[in-house]
Amino acid sequence: MRVERTPHLKKLTSNIRTPYYNVSMRYITIFLTICTYLSLTSCGSWFDTHPYDINIHGETDINTHNIAAIEKENANKETFRVAFISDTHLWHSDTRDEVANINNQPNIDFVIHLGDLTDTGTTKEFEWSRDILQQLNCPYVALIGNHDFLGTGDQTYNVMYGQMDFSFIAGRVKFICLDTNATEYDYLAAIPNFDFLEEEMTKNSELFDRTVLIMHAPPYSDQFNNNVCKAFRRYLDFLPGLMCCVYGHCHNHEINEFYNDGLRFYGIDNAEHRNYRIFTFTPDGYEEELVNY
């Protein structure tokens, strides 16, 4: 005896699948409706972007703008005062206190941040750091630190601040700001850039007769290309009236003579340790002081 089962199976399959299909489509429709609503309202930021997307909100090309202000305001000054800070990372509360302390100091003409504005180089970290530093009552410039290279941080720095090697002149003193983070390039780039140093020796030579060299990582540190330490020192001999070098990275306030030849290198501490240095440049040289806050 033959039993015909196919019609019953078809009917059973139809009865089972249709409700589930309808329920699934109903939830998908609801989900898409919610997504559309969120994207069209103030809740559109519910879908966040990648932390390394370089989609910067707020001011960019900061060094270029502030260098113009520094050079204009200090062109004819014989005496001016500079605050050096470094390695603020994610110590935002300490950095806010540091900014407030600098604002209460008399006659600070500008500030130089020696790098490590961030901890992991994300776009948000750059924005947070920038928004705090913009509370300064005077212009500031910032170098790039090794932490600022993480992810796409070097690209974010380039958009937010500008070139990694740069210089400016205040009161006949040229400040040469040099990228020394060789490790971040796997030693495949010319870091430090000797070609840049050579150009700066004579560029706008009629406007300056003294030099201060600024960097994030000093010679003989873990970030510096220590294969060229001796060549680096030789290049410094050709910088007109080199007074001193200033660096960050080491998270300590210190004064070193790495080459034992009288050239002083001043280390600037991190924000967590709550101190920084002020340099007063005069026609006869400079004075420096450590400020605790």
Side-chain angles (χ1 to χ4, degrees):
M1 180 178 178
R2 182 180 178 185
V3 179
E4 181 63 53
R5 294 180 179 178
T6 303
H8 299 283
L9 288 176
K10 287 183 179 180
K11 184 176 180 180
L12 181 60
T13 302
S14 176
N15 290 338
I16 291 175
R17 289 184 178 178
T18 301
Y20 281 95
Y21 176 79
N22 291 338
V23 170
S24 298
M25 287 304 297
R26 186 180 303 119
Y27 281 118
I28 290 172
T29 302
I30 292 172
F31 176 75
L32 292 175
T33 302
I34 292 172
C35 291
T36 302
Y37 172 77
L38 290 172
S39 67
L40 295 175
T41 65
S42 59
C43 298
S45 59
W46 185 66
F47 295 99
D48 205 355
T49 54
H50 193 279
Y52 292 107
D53 69 341
I54 322 178
N55 182 23
I56 299 171
H57 301 283
E59 186 179 1
T60 58
D61 204 17
I62 293 170
N63 283 350
T64 299
H65 301 153
N66 287 346
I67 284 173
I70 291 169
E71 292 189 325
K72 180 179 179 181
E73 295 169 6
N74 296 277
N76 299 315
K77 288 186 178 180
E78 292 187 347
T79 299
F80 59 94
R81 284 159 57 82
V82 184
F84 288 89
I85 65 176
S86 191
D87 295 84
T88 48
H89 292 284
L90 290 178
W91 293 305
H92 292 159
S93 178
D94 296 308
T95 305
R96 289 188 187 94
D97 290 345
E98 189 170 44
V99 167
N101 190 278
I102 292 172
N103 286 341
N104 287 327
Q105 295 290 336
N107 305 318
I108 299 297
D109 292 286
F110 57 92
V111 174
I112 298 179
H113 191 302
L114 294 158
D116 278 356
L117 297 144
T118 70
D119 206 42
T120 60
T122 66
T123 301
K124 278 296 184 184
E125 288 180 66
F126 273 103
E127 290 177 344
W128 293 333
S129 174
R130 176 203 60 196
D131 292 347
I132 295 172
L133 293 173
Q134 284 183 324
Q135 300 304 310
L136 287 163
N137 291 339
C138 59
Y140 78 96
V141 297
L143 283 74
I144 189 168
N146 57 299
H147 279 257
D148 303 325
F149 275 88
L150 297 178
T152 57
D154 55 334
Q155 299 174 53
T156 304
Y157 172 90
N158 187 252
V159 174
M160 184 173 285
Y161 287 98
Q163 296 298 314
M164 297 176 193
D165 295 317
F166 61 94
S167 70
F168 59 95
I169 298 171
R172 297 199 63 81
V173 177
K174 174 176 273 193
F175 293 83
I176 299 177
C177 301
L178 191 65
D179 177 11
T180 56
N181 301 289
T183 302
E184 302 307 316
Y185 299 88
D186 292 328
Y187 303 104
L188 298 176
I191 305 297
N193 189 336
F194 291 143
D195 288 339
F196 174 77
L197 275 178
E198 283 189 28
E199 293 172 2
E200 293 300 320
M201 293 172 191
T202 57
K203 184 179 178 181
N204 298 321
S205 58
E206 72 282 2
L207 300 178
F208 74 98
D209 43 42
R210 294 178 293 167
T211 309
V212 176
L213 185 65
I214 316 295
M215 67 199 83
H216 179 66
Y220 300 107
S221 69
D222 60 318
Q223 281 289 320
F224 201 91
N225 184 355
N226 291 316
N227 288 324
V228 300
C229 275
K230 292 181 179 179
F232 177 74
R233 179 62 185 91
R234 181 59 178 146
Y235 268 83
L236 302 189
D237 285 333
F238 297 97
L239 295 176
L242 179 62
M243 291 190 286
C244 63
C245 303
V246 188
Y247 64 91
H249 182 59
C250 297
H251 292 211
N252 194 15
H253 64 85
E254 54 194 17
I255 303 175
N256 289 303
E257 291 188 13
F258 293 116
Y259 298 96
N260 299 315
D261 58 3
L263 177 61
R264 286 193 167 188
F265 289 74
Y266 292 88
I268 306 301
D269 211 341
N270 65 27
E272 184 189 31
H273 293 163
R274 299 178 67 82
N275 66 79
Y276 62 94
R277 289 186 187 272
I278 295 176
F279 280 64
T280 302
F281 294 93
T282 69
D284 299 322
Y286 68 90
E287 298 174 357
E288 62 85 21
E289 58 181 302
L290 181 68
V291 179
N292 294 286
Y293 61 93

Short mmCIF file of all heavy atoms in Angstrom, two decimals, residues 53-94:
data_model
loop_
_atom_site.label_atom_id
_atom_site.label_comp_id
_atom_site.label_asym_id
_atom_site.label_seq_id
_atom_site.Cartn_x
_atom_site.Cartn_y
_atom_site.Cartn_z
N ASP A 53 40.53 57.75 13.02
CA ASP A 53 39.97 58.13 11.72
C ASP A 53 40.49 59.46 11.18
O ASP A 53 40.22 59.81 10.04
CB ASP A 53 38.44 58.18 11.79
CG ASP A 53 37.95 59.34 12.66
OD1 ASP A 53 38.74 59.86 13.46
OD2 ASP A 53 36.78 59.72 12.52
N ILE A 54 41.20 60.25 11.99
CA ILE A 54 41.75 61.57 11.60
C ILE A 54 40.64 62.54 11.21
O ILE A 54 40.87 63.49 10.46
CB ILE A 54 42.79 61.45 10.45
CG1 ILE A 54 43.65 60.19 10.61
CG2 ILE A 54 43.73 62.66 10.43
CD1 ILE A 54 44.64 59.97 9.49
N ASN A 55 39.44 62.31 11.69
CA ASN A 55 38.33 63.22 11.44
C ASN A 55 38.31 64.25 12.57
O ASN A 55 37.61 64.10 13.56
CB ASN A 55 37.02 62.44 11.38
CG ASN A 55 35.83 63.33 11.06
OD1 ASN A 55 35.99 64.41 10.49
ND2 ASN A 55 34.64 62.90 11.46
N ILE A 56 39.09 65.31 12.41
CA ILE A 56 39.35 66.25 13.49
C ILE A 56 38.29 67.33 13.54
O ILE A 56 37.97 67.95 12.53
CB ILE A 56 40.75 66.89 13.32
CG1 ILE A 56 41.83 65.81 13.36
CG2 ILE A 56 41.00 67.95 14.39
CD1 ILE A 56 43.20 66.30 12.98
N HIS A 57 37.76 67.57 14.75
CA HIS A 57 36.82 68.65 14.98
C HIS A 57 37.56 69.79 15.69
O HIS A 57 38.29 69.56 16.64
CB HIS A 57 35.64 68.17 15.83
CG HIS A 57 34.88 67.03 15.21
ND1 HIS A 57 33.98 67.22 14.17
CD2 HIS A 57 34.90 65.71 15.46
CE1 HIS A 57 33.47 66.05 13.83
NE2 HIS A 57 34.02 65.12 14.58
N GLY A 58 37.36 70.99 15.22
CA GLY A 58 38.02 72.13 15.86
C GLY A 58 39.26 72.58 15.10
O GLY A 58 39.49 72.19 13.96
N GLU A 59 40.07 73.38 15.77
CA GLU A 59 41.19 74.05 15.12
C GLU A 59 42.25 73.07 14.63
O GLU A 59 42.55 72.07 15.27
CB GLU A 59 41.84 75.05 16.07
CG GLU A 59 42.94 75.90 15.41
CD GLU A 59 43.56 76.90 16.34
OE1 GLU A 59 43.17 76.97 17.52
OE2 GLU A 59 44.45 77.65 15.88
N THR A 60 42.81 73.36 13.47
CA THR A 60 43.92 72.59 12.90
C THR A 60 45.03 73.55 12.50
O THR A 60 44.89 74.77 12.59
CB THR A 60 43.46 71.78 11.68
OG1 THR A 60 42.92 72.69 10.70
CG2 THR A 60 42.39 70.76 12.06
N ASP A 61 46.18 73.00 12.08
CA ASP A 61 47.34 73.79 11.65
C ASP A 61 47.74 74.81 12.73
O ASP A 61 48.06 75.96 12.45
CB ASP A 61 47.04 74.49 10.33
CG ASP A 61 48.30 74.83 9.55
OD1 ASP A 61 49.36 74.25 9.87
OD2 ASP A 61 48.24 75.67 8.65
N ILE A 62 47.73 74.33 13.97
CA ILE A 62 47.93 75.21 15.12
C ILE A 62 49.31 75.84 15.14
O ILE A 62 49.46 77.05 15.41
CB ILE A 62 47.67 74.42 16.42
CG1 ILE A 62 46.19 74.05 16.50
CG2 ILE A 62 48.08 75.23 17.65
CD1 ILE A 62 45.87 73.08 17.62
N ASN A 63 50.36 75.06 14.88
CA ASN A 63 51.71 75.63 14.95
C ASN A 63 51.90 76.78 13.98
O ASN A 63 52.51 77.80 14.31
CB ASN A 63 52.75 74.54 14.69
CG ASN A 63 52.96 73.62 15.88
OD1 ASN A 63 52.46 73.89 16.98
ND2 ASN A 63 53.67 72.54 15.67
N THR A 64 51.37 76.63 12.78
CA THR A 64 51.50 77.69 11.78
C THR A 64 50.86 78.99 12.27
O THR A 64 51.46 80.07 12.18
CB THR A 64 50.86 77.27 10.45
OG1 THR A 64 51.52 76.10 9.96
CG2 THR A 64 50.99 78.37 9.41
N HIS A 65 49.65 78.88 12.79
CA HIS A 65 48.94 80.08 13.27
C HIS A 65 49.66 80.71 14.45
O HIS A 65 49.86 81.93 14.50
CB HIS A 65 47.51 79.71 13.69
CG HIS A 65 46.70 79.11 12.59
ND1 HIS A 65 45.65 78.24 12.82
CD2 HIS A 65 46.78 79.23 11.24
CE1 HIS A 65 45.13 77.86 11.67
NE2 HIS A 65 45.80 78.44 10.69
N ASN A 66 50.11 79.87 15.40
CA ASN A 66 50.71 80.41 16.61
C ASN A 66 52.13 80.92 16.38
O ASN A 66 52.56 81.86 17.04
CB ASN A 66 50.68 79.37 17.73
CG ASN A 66 49.29 79.19 18.30
OD1 ASN A 66 48.39 80.00 18.04
ND2 ASN A 66 49.08 78.14 19.07
N ILE A 67 52.85 80.30 15.46
CA ILE A 67 54.19 80.80 15.13
C ILE A 67 54.09 82.22 14.55
O ILE A 67 54.90 83.09 14.88
CB ILE A 67 54.91 79.86 14.16
CG1 ILE A 67 55.40 78.62 14.92
CG2 ILE A 67 56.07 80.55 13.45
CD1 ILE A 67 55.97 77.54 14.03
N ALA A 68 53.11 82.44 13.71
CA ALA A 68 52.91 83.79 13.16
C ALA A 68 52.69 84.80 14.29
O ALA A 68 53.24 85.91 14.27
CB ALA A 68 51.73 83.80 12.20
N ALA A 69 51.90 84.42 15.29
CA ALA A 69 51.63 85.31 16.42
C ALA A 69 52.89 85.51 17.27
O ALA A 69 53.19 86.64 17.69
CB ALA A 69 50.50 84.74 17.27
N ILE A 70 53.63 84.42 17.52
CA ILE A 70 54.85 84.52 18.33
C ILE A 70 55.87 85.43 17.67
O ILE A 70 56.47 86.31 18.32
CB ILE A 70 55.45 83.11 18.56
CG1 ILE A 70 54.54 82.29 19.48
CG2 ILE A 70 56.85 83.20 19.13
CD1 ILE A 70 54.91 80.82 19.56
N GLU A 71 56.10 85.24 16.38
CA GLU A 71 57.11 86.05 15.69
C GLU A 71 56.69 87.51 15.63
O GLU A 71 57.54 88.42 15.77
CB GLU A 71 57.35 85.48 14.29
CG GLU A 71 58.04 84.12 14.33
CD GLU A 71 58.49 83.64 12.97
OE1 GLU A 71 57.79 83.92 11.97
OE2 GLU A 71 59.55 82.98 12.91
N LYS A 72 55.42 87.77 15.45
CA LYS A 72 54.95 89.16 15.39
C LYS A 72 55.07 89.84 16.75
O LYS A 72 55.55 90.98 16.84
CB LYS A 72 53.49 89.18 14.92
CG LYS A 72 52.91 90.59 14.83
CD LYS A 72 51.46 90.54 14.35
CE LYS A 72 50.86 91.95 14.28
NZ LYS A 72 49.44 91.91 13.82
N GLU A 73 54.68 89.15 17.81
CA GLU A 73 54.67 89.76 19.14
C GLU A 73 56.04 89.87 19.78
O GLU A 73 56.25 90.68 20.69
CB GLU A 73 53.73 88.95 20.06
CG GLU A 73 52.27 88.98 19.62
CD GLU A 73 51.41 87.98 20.36
OE1 GLU A 73 51.94 87.33 21.31
OE2 GLU A 73 50.23 87.81 20.00
N ASN A 74 57.00 89.05 19.31
CA ASN A 74 58.32 89.03 19.96
C ASN A 74 59.46 89.48 19.05
O ASN A 74 60.63 89.35 19.41
CB ASN A 74 58.62 87.62 20.47
CG ASN A 74 57.67 87.18 21.56
OD1 ASN A 74 57.84 87.50 22.73
ND2 ASN A 74 56.64 86.43 21.18
N ALA A 75 59.11 90.04 17.90
CA ALA A 75 60.14 90.40 16.92
C ALA A 75 61.17 91.37 17.46
O ALA A 75 62.37 91.25 17.19
CB ALA A 75 59.47 90.97 15.67
N ASN A 76 60.74 92.35 18.25
CA ASN A 76 61.65 93.40 18.71
C ASN A 76 61.96 93.32 20.19
O ASN A 76 62.52 94.27 20.76
CB ASN A 76 61.03 94.77 18.38
CG ASN A 76 60.81 94.97 16.89
OD1 ASN A 76 61.69 94.66 16.08
ND2 ASN A 76 59.63 95.44 16.52
N LYS A 77 61.64 92.22 20.82
CA LYS A 77 61.90 92.09 22.25
C LYS A 77 63.34 91.66 22.52
O LYS A 77 63.83 90.72 21.89
CB LYS A 77 60.93 91.09 22.89
CG LYS A 77 59.51 91.59 23.01
CD LYS A 77 58.66 90.59 23.78
CE LYS A 77 57.24 91.11 23.96
NZ LYS A 77 56.39 90.14 24.70
N GLU A 78 63.98 92.31 23.46
CA GLU A 78 65.30 91.89 23.87
C GLU A 78 65.22 90.84 24.97
O GLU A 78 66.12 89.99 25.10
CB GLU A 78 66.11 93.09 24.36
CG GLU A 78 66.47 94.08 23.25
CD GLU A 78 67.41 95.15 23.73
OE1 GLU A 78 67.58 95.28 24.97
OE2 GLU A 78 67.97 95.86 22.89
N THR A 79 64.16 90.91 25.77
CA THR A 79 63.94 89.95 26.85
C THR A 79 62.55 89.35 26.71
O THR A 79 61.57 90.08 26.52
CB THR A 79 64.08 90.63 28.23
OG1 THR A 79 65.41 91.16 28.37
CG2 THR A 79 63.81 89.63 29.34
N PHE A 80 62.46 88.05 26.78
CA PHE A 80 61.16 87.37 26.71
C PHE A 80 61.23 86.07 27.51
O PHE A 80 62.32 85.54 27.76
CB PHE A 80 60.74 87.12 25.26
CG PHE A 80 61.71 86.30 24.46
CD1 PHE A 80 61.54 84.92 24.33
CD2 PHE A 80 62.79 86.89 23.81
CE1 PHE A 80 62.43 84.15 23.59
CE2 PHE A 80 63.68 86.13 23.06
CZ PHE A 80 63.50 84.76 22.96
N ARG A 81 60.06 85.59 27.89
CA ARG A 81 59.97 84.42 28.77
C ARG A 81 59.18 83.29 28.10
O ARG A 81 58.12 83.53 27.52
CB ARG A 81 59.31 84.81 30.10
CG ARG A 81 60.26 85.58 31.01
CD ARG A 81 59.53 86.40 32.07
NE ARG A 81 58.66 85.60 32.94
CZ ARG A 81 59.05 84.89 34.00
NH1 ARG A 81 60.34 84.84 34.30
NH2 ARG A 81 58.17 84.26 34.75
N VAL A 82 59.72 82.07 28.22
CA VAL A 82 59.13 80.91 27.58
C VAL A 82 58.92 79.81 28.62
O VAL A 82 59.83 79.49 29.39
CB VAL A 82 60.03 80.37 26.45
CG1 VAL A 82 59.35 79.22 25.72
CG2 VAL A 82 60.43 81.48 25.49
N ALA A 83 57.73 79.23 28.65
CA ALA A 83 57.45 78.08 29.50
C ALA A 83 57.58 76.81 28.68
O ALA A 83 57.01 76.70 27.58
CB ALA A 83 56.06 78.18 30.11
N PHE A 84 58.34 75.85 29.19
CA PHE A 84 58.52 74.55 28.54
C PHE A 84 57.77 73.49 29.33
O PHE A 84 58.01 73.31 30.53
CB PHE A 84 59.99 74.18 28.46
CG PHE A 84 60.78 74.98 27.46
CD1 PHE A 84 61.38 76.17 27.83
CD2 PHE A 84 60.92 74.54 26.15
CE1 PHE A 84 62.12 76.91 26.91
CE2 PHE A 84 61.66 75.26 25.23
CZ PHE A 84 62.25 76.46 25.61
N ILE A 85 56.87 72.77 28.66
CA ILE A 85 56.13 71.67 29.27
C ILE A 85 56.29 70.44 28.39
O ILE A 85 56.72 70.53 27.23
CB ILE A 85 54.64 72.01 29.46
CG1 ILE A 85 53.94 72.20 28.11
CG2 ILE A 85 54.48 73.27 30.32
CD1 ILE A 85 52.44 72.45 28.23
N SER A 86 55.93 69.27 28.92
CA SER A 86 56.10 68.05 28.12
C SER A 86 55.27 66.91 28.68
O SER A 86 54.81 66.95 29.83
CB SER A 86 57.58 67.64 28.10
OG SER A 86 57.81 66.61 27.15
N ASP A 87 55.06 65.90 27.84
CA ASP A 87 54.50 64.60 28.24
C ASP A 87 53.25 64.76 29.11
O ASP A 87 53.19 64.27 30.24
CB ASP A 87 55.57 63.79 28.98
CG ASP A 87 56.73 63.42 28.07
OD1 ASP A 87 57.65 64.25 27.91
OD2 ASP A 87 56.71 62.32 27.51
N THR A 88 52.25 65.39 28.54
CA THR A 88 50.99 65.55 29.27
C THR A 88 50.12 64.29 29.19
O THR A 88 49.29 64.06 30.06
CB THR A 88 50.22 66.77 28.73
OG1 THR A 88 50.18 66.73 27.30
CG2 THR A 88 50.89 68.06 29.15
N HIS A 89 50.30 63.49 28.14
CA HIS A 89 49.60 62.20 28.01
C HIS A 89 48.11 62.35 28.32
O HIS A 89 47.44 63.23 27.77
CB HIS A 89 50.27 61.15 28.89
CG HIS A 89 51.64 60.77 28.43
ND1 HIS A 89 51.86 59.94 27.35
CD2 HIS A 89 52.88 61.12 28.88
CE1 HIS A 89 53.16 59.78 27.16
NE2 HIS A 89 53.81 60.50 28.08
N LEU A 90 47.60 61.50 29.23
CA LEU A 90 46.19 61.59 29.63
C LEU A 90 46.04 62.14 31.05
O LEU A 90 44.98 61.96 31.67
CB LEU A 90 45.53 60.21 29.53
CG LEU A 90 45.31 59.68 28.10
CD1 LEU A 90 44.69 58.29 28.14
CD2 LEU A 90 44.43 60.62 27.29
N TRP A 91 47.05 62.82 31.55
CA TRP A 91 46.97 63.45 32.86
C TRP A 91 46.27 64.81 32.70
O TRP A 91 46.86 65.88 32.88
CB TRP A 91 48.36 63.60 33.47
CG TRP A 91 48.98 62.28 33.80
CD1 TRP A 91 48.46 61.29 34.58
CD2 TRP A 91 50.26 61.80 33.35
NE1 TRP A 91 49.32 60.22 34.66
CE2 TRP A 91 50.44 60.49 33.91
CE3 TRP A 91 51.28 62.32 32.55
CZ2 TRP A 91 51.58 59.73 33.69
CZ3 TRP A 91 52.40 61.56 32.33
CH2 TRP A 91 52.55 60.27 32.89
N HIS A 92 45.01 64.76 32.34
CA HIS A 92 44.30 65.99 31.98
C HIS A 92 44.09 66.93 33.16
O HIS A 92 44.20 68.15 33.01
CB HIS A 92 42.96 65.62 31.34
CG HIS A 92 43.11 64.96 30.00
ND1 HIS A 92 42.12 64.18 29.43
CD2 HIS A 92 44.14 64.96 29.12
CE1 HIS A 92 42.55 63.73 28.26
NE2 HIS A 92 43.76 64.17 28.05
N SER A 93 43.81 66.38 34.31
CA SER A 93 43.61 67.22 35.49
C SER A 93 44.90 67.96 35.82
O SER A 93 44.90 69.17 36.10
CB SER A 93 43.15 66.38 36.68
OG SER A 93 43.00 67.18 37.82
N ASP A 94 46.03 67.24 35.80
CA ASP A 94 47.32 67.88 36.07
C ASP A 94 47.67 68.91 35.00
O ASP A 94 48.25 69.96 35.30
CB ASP A 94 48.42 66.81 36.13
CG ASP A 94 48.22 65.83 37.28
OD1 ASP A 94 48.04 66.28 38.42
OD2 ASP A 94 48.23 64.62 37.02
#
